[in-house]
Amino acid sequence: MAKRLIPTLNRVLVEKLIPPSKTSAGILLPERSSKLNSGKVVAVGPGLRDKSGSTIPVAVKEGETVLLPEYGGTEVKLGEKEYHLYRDEDILGILHD
Amino acid sequence: MAKRLIPTLNRVLVEKLIPPSKTSAGILLPERSSKLNSGKVVAVGPGLRDKSGSTIPVAVKEGETVLLPEYGGTEVKLGEKEYHLYRDEDILGILHD
Amino acid sequence: MAKRLIPTLNRVLVEKLIPPSKTSAGILLPERSSKLNSGKVVAVGPGLRDKSGSTIPVAVKEGETVLLPEYGGTEVKLGEKEYHLYRDEDILGILHD
Amino acid sequence: MAKRLIPTLNRVLVEKLIPPSKTSAGILLPERSSKLNSGKVVAVGPGLRDKSGSTIPVAVKEGETVLLPEYGGTEVKLGEKEYHLYRDEDILGILHD
Amino acid sequence: MAKRLIPTLNRVLVEKLIPPSKTSAGILLPERSSKLNSGKVVAVGPGLRDKSGSTIPVAVKEGETVLLPEYGGTEVKLGEKEYHLYRDEDILGILHD
Amino acid sequence: MAKRLIPTLNRVLVEKLIPPSKTSAGILLPERSSKLNSGKVVAVGPGLRDKSGSTIPVAVKEGETVLLPEYGGTEVKLGEKEYHLYRDEDILGILHD
Amino acid sequence: MAKRLIPTLNRVLVEKLIPPSKTSAGILLPERSSKLNSGKVVAVGPGLRDKSGSTIPVAVKEGETVLLPEYGGTEVKLGEKEYHLYRDEDILGILHD
């Protein structure tokens, strides 16, 4: 059974991060504040081609933590793991601590 | 009666893979986990042309196992075999063990 | 009365093939299997122009047997014969025995 | 009062041909067979410009007999004569005896 | 108060011609025949820019008599005079006696 | 509090001119004739970029009196003054006495 | 927990400015006049790519005060702070005192 997926074109495979309800010090996080729809980039496609035929690199890289749109994303189950597939232009930004 | 189809432009001919309900060791697979909508690429078209007139190679290759979108695909019966025809930009990714 | 039509731009003139209900050996073909919506290319246009002004050759050639989409196609009667006119990007593929 | 019209861009001025209901030998033509929606090209525009600024010649020429789409075309009366104006990409093909 | 308007981009300023209901010899013209929706070009814009940045000259010139579409056109009153503003691609053709 | 706005891209900031209901000689202007929806250009953006990356200068200049479309325009209040923001392609033309 | 967001493509991260209801001298500002929907640019993406593959710099810069459209913008909470994400073409202009 397939374990790995290399996305096509400018698609990005993301593993969603479930935000902790408590801080490392155990303090309960207020409901709204922790709910950042984010995920880790697991794999990226080769990119789209522009009109002149050259390839446009995908806007995010493997390993980056990204801010995801509220809607969209195609659910993909590989073995027991669940991922989501996005087009790179739908990913809102790259998150840094 | 026609046995072979060479797709036009960036179309891709795929033979859908029916996921096994049991593992090779005979263990019954849980209903949801095995349901990956995938297929084997049987033939690809020559590709579309970009604005400058050069051909854009198709995003997948013959023999690759690909992840298919939930909807879409045109059913094509050649002899006794059933295939599906997709545009390459609708194929989600390439699956690897 | 006009007998011949040279299509314009990337249009393709096709004569539909009515699939035989019996094999050459006389065996009645099951209803569904023989129903391949196909036809023979009778004439093709000069092709469209791309953004840089050069002509994009039509995706199929005269004499080829092609797989037609389920819908679309403009009916054209020339003398007693009936043809259908398609845009080349709507033709699904080229059929080979 | 204006007698002549030079179409703009890729427009084509056509005088519709009313198909004869009888053959030259006087035999009544069956209703459907003679109904080819065709016309003679009376004048063509200079053509559209493509992205690189050069002009794309119109797909048909003055004097040619062309196959017209079932719908569309702008009616234009010049003096006592009635014409129809089409964009060249809507003209289906060029008819030859 | 403004008396003159230089249209922007590919806009064309037209003064509509009201067709005479009688010929110069005084003969009453049949209602339909004289109703050609035409006008005189009073001013044209500098033209649009194509993708490569160069300007595409407007399809008609000042002083020409043009055939107008049945609908569209923005009414513009300058002093006591009434004009109509069109995009050049909406003007059907140039009329000649 | 902000007093000045530099529009982005091909946007144009306009201060609408309220047409006088009387001529300088005090004669009451007929209601319809004076109603020219016009304004003075207060600021323009740097312009859009075309496909080849170069900037397309905005179609109107600061200080010009322009004819505005009947609808559209975003209201912007800077201090006590009211302005309207348009895209340059929506401005109909430049008015001259 | 993520504190910083680098927007992708031509997205712009903005911190909205809540207009003071009183002037510095304490005079109560009339309700309507102070309501300018503006904000400070906190971060910008690398920009979109044009057809020829080169990057189009974002229309606004970090630190600038910008006029925001009445609608649109994606709410993003980073820690305790609230931001809004816009595409650069939706930002109306740059505000100066």
Side-chain angles (χ1 to χ4, degrees):
Chain A
M1 202 170 46
K3 293 278 178 326
R4 221 157 45 86
L5 174 74
I6 306 289
T8 47
L9 305 174
N10 67 332
R11 289 185 173 95
V12 177
L13 191 67
V14 171
E15 190 178 356
K16 284 206 177 181
L17 298 176
I18 315 298
S21 53
K22 289 184 191 161
T23 64
S24 43
I27 305 153
L28 208 68
L29 278 167
E31 173 58 30
R32 253 189 52 72
S33 81
S34 60
K35 281 289 164 294
L36 207 56
N37 189 13
S38 63
K40 189 145 203 187
V41 175
V42 170
V44 297
L48 278 175
R49 283 174 169 264
D50 65 27
K51 299 295 169 193
S52 63
S54 41
T55 305
I56 308 171
V58 172
V60 294
K61 291 188 193 58
E62 235 177 80
E64 285 181 330
T65 305
V66 290
L67 181 64
L68 302 170
E70 216 178 328
Y71 305 104
T74 307
E75 207 187 275
V76 175
K77 244 182 111 91
L78 291 173
E80 286 317 302
K81 280 204 152 183
E82 197 173 276
Y83 301 95
H84 285 78
L85 209 53
Y86 294 88
R87 291 280 189 158
D88 78 336
E89 71 258 24
D90 297 330
I91 293 191
L92 302 179
I94 300 156
L95 289 162
H96 300 267
D97 290 330
Chain B
M1 203 168 49
K3 292 279 177 327
R4 221 158 44 87
L5 173 74
I6 306 289
T8 47
L9 305 174
N10 67 333
R11 289 184 172 94
V12 177
L13 191 67
V14 171
E15 190 178 357
K16 285 206 179 181
L17 297 176
I18 315 299
S21 53
K22 288 182 191 162
T23 64
S24 43
I27 305 154
L28 208 67
L29 278 167
E31 172 59 30
R32 253 189 52 72
S33 81
S34 60
K35 281 289 164 292
L36 208 56
N37 189 12
S38 62
K40 189 145 203 189
V41 175
V42 171
V44 297
L48 279 175
R49 284 173 169 264
D50 64 27
K51 297 298 169 192
S52 62
S54 42
T55 304
I56 307 171
V58 172
V60 294
K61 293 188 193 59
E62 235 178 80
E64 285 180 330
T65 305
V66 291
L67 181 64
L68 302 170
E70 216 178 328
Y71 305 104
T74 307
E75 208 188 273
V76 176
K77 245 183 112 91
L78 292 173
E80 286 317 303
K81 279 202 152 185
E82 198 174 275
Y83 301 94
H84 285 78
L85 209 53
Y86 294 89
R87 291 280 189 158
D88 78 336
E89 71 259 22
D90 297 330
I91 293 193
L92 302 179
I94 301 155
L95 289 162
H96 300 268
D97 291 329
Chain C
M1 203 168 50
K3 292 279 177 331
R4 220 157 45 84
L5 174 73
I6 306 289
T8 47
L9 304 174
N10 67 333
R11 289 185 172 94
V12 177
L13 191 66
V14 172
E15 190 178 358
K16 284 206 179 181
L17 297 175
I18 314 299
S21 52
K22 288 182 193 160
T23 64
S24 44
I27 306 154
L28 209 66
L29 278 166
E31 172 60 30
R32 255 189 48 71
S33 82
S34 60
K35 283 289 164 294
L36 205 56
N37 189 13
S38 63
K40 191 146 202 186
V41 176
V42 172
V44 297
L48 280 175
R49 283 173 169 263
D50 64 26
K51 298 297 170 192
S52 63
S54 41
T55 305
I56 307 170
V58 173
V60 294
K61 293 186 194 59
E62 236 178 77
E64 285 181 329
T65 305
V66 290
L67 182 64
L68 302 171
E70 216 178 328
Y71 305 104
T74 308
E75 208 188 274
V76 176
K77 246 184 109 90
L78 292 173
E80 287 317 302
K81 278 202 151 185
E82 197 173 276
Y83 301 94
H84 285 78
L85 209 54
Y86 294 88
R87 291 279 188 160
D88 78 336
E89 72 259 21
D90 296 330
I91 294 193
L92 302 178
I94 300 156
L95 289 161
H96 300 268
D97 291 330
Chain D
M1 202 169 49
K3 293 278 176 328
R4 222 156 45 85
L5 174 73
I6 306 290
T8 48
L9 304 174
N10 66 334
R11 289 186 172 93
V12 177
L13 191 67
V14 172
E15 190 179 355
K16 282 204 178 181
L17 298 175
I18 315 297
S21 52
K22 286 184 194 159
T23 64
S24 44
I27 306 154
L28 210 66
L29 277 166
E31 173 60 30
R32 257 190 49 72
S33 83
S34 60
K35 282 288 164 294
L36 206 56
N37 188 13
S38 63
K40 192 145 200 186
V41 175
V42 172
V44 297
L48 279 176
R49 283 173 171 265
D50 65 25
K51 298 297 168 194
S52 63
S54 40
T55 305
I56 306 170
V58 173
V60 295
K61 292 186 195 58
E62 236 177 77
E64 286 181 327
T65 305
V66 290
L67 181 64
L68 302 170
E70 217 178 328
Y71 306 104
T74 307
E75 208 187 276
V76 175
K77 249 184 107 94
L78 292 173
E80 286 317 303
K81 279 203 152 185
E82 197 173 275
Y83 300 95
H84 285 79
L85 209 54
Y86 294 89
R87 291 279 189 160
D88 77 337
E89 72 259 22
D90 296 330
I91 293 194
L92 302 179
I94 301 156
L95 288 161
H96 301 267
D97 290 331
Chain E
M1 204 169 48
K3 293 277 176 328
R4 222 157 45 85
L5 174 73
I6 305 290
T8 47
L9 304 174
N10 66 334
R11 289 185 172 95
V12 176
L13 191 67
V14 172
E15 189 178 357
K16 283 204 179 182
L17 298 176
I18 314 299
S21 53
K22 286 184 193 158
T23 64
S24 45
I27 304 153
L28 209 66
L29 277 166
E31 173 60 29
R32 255 189 49 73
S33 83
S34 60
K35 282 289 165 290
L36 206 56
N37 189 13
S38 62
K40 190 146 201 189
V41 175
V42 172
V44 297
L48 280 175
R49 284 172 170 265
D50 64 26
K51 298 297 167 192
S52 63
S54 41
T55 304
I56 307 170
V58 172
V60 295
K61 291 187 195 58
E62 236 178 78
E64 286 182 327
T65 306
V66 290
L67 181 64
L68 302 171
E70 217 178 327
Y71 306 104
T74 307
E75 208 188 275
V76 175
K77 246 184 108 95
L78 293 173
E80 286 317 303
K81 279 203 151 184
E82 197 172 275
Y83 300 95
H84 284 78
L85 208 53
Y86 293 88
R87 291 280 187 158
D88 77 337
E89 71 259 22
D90 296 331
I91 293 193
L92 302 179
I94 301 155
L95 288 162
H96 300 267
D97 290 330
Chain F
M1 205 170 48
K3 293 279 175 329
R4 223 158 43 87
L5 174 74
I6 306 289
T8 47
L9 304 174
N10 66 333
R11 288 185 173 93
V12 176
L13 191 67
V14 172
E15 189 178 357
K16 284 205 178 181
L17 298 176
I18 314 299
S21 53
K22 288 182 192 160
T23 65
S24 44
I27 305 153
L28 209 68
L29 277 166
E31 171 60 31
R32 255 190 49 73
S33 82
S34 60
K35 281 291 163 292
L36 206 56
N37 189 13
S38 63
K40 191 147 202 184
V41 176
V42 171
V44 297
L48 279 176
R49 285 174 169 265
D50 65 26
K51 298 296 168 195
S52 63
S54 42
T55 305
I56 307 170
V58 173
V60 294
K61 292 187 195 59
E62 236 177 77
E64 286 181 328
T65 306
V66 290
L67 181 64
L68 301 171
E70 218 178 319
Y71 307 103
T74 307
E75 208 187 273
V76 176
K77 245 182 110 93
L78 292 173
E80 286 317 303
K81 280 201 148 183
E82 197 173 276
Y83 300 94
H84 284 78
L85 208 54
Y86 293 88
R87 291 279 187 159
D88 78 336
E89 71 259 22
D90 296 331
I91 293 194
L92 302 179
I94 300 155
L95 288 162
H96 301 266
D97 289 331
Chain G
M1 203 170 47
K3 292 279 175 331
R4 221 157 46 85
L5 173 74
I6 306 289
T8 47
L9 304 174
N10 67 333
R11 289 185 173 93
V12 176
L13 191 66
V14 172
E15 191 178 356
K16 283 205 178 182
L17 298 176
I18 314 298
S21 52
K22 289 183 192 161
T23 64
S24 43
I27 305 154
L28 208 68
L29 278 165
E31 172 60 30
R32 255 189 51 73
S33 82
S34 60
K35 282 290 164 295
L36 206 56
N37 189 12
S38 62
K40 190 145 202 186
V41 174
V42 171
V44 297
L48 278 175
R49 284 174 168 265
D50 64 27
K51 298 295 167 197
S52 64
S54 41
T55 305
I56 307 171
V58 172
V60 295
K61 292 188 195 57
E62 235 177 79
E64 285 181 329
T65 305
V66 289
L67 181 64
L68 302 170
E70 216 178 328
Y71 306 104
T74 308
E75 208 188 274
V76 176
K77 246 184 109 93
L78 291 174
E80 286 318 303
K81 279 203 151 184
E82 197 173 276
Y83 301 94
H84 284 78
L85 208 53
Y86 293 88
R87 291 279 188 157
D88 78 337
E89 71 259 24
D90 297 330
I91 292 192
L92 302 179
I94 300 156
L95 288 162
H96 300 267
D97 290 330

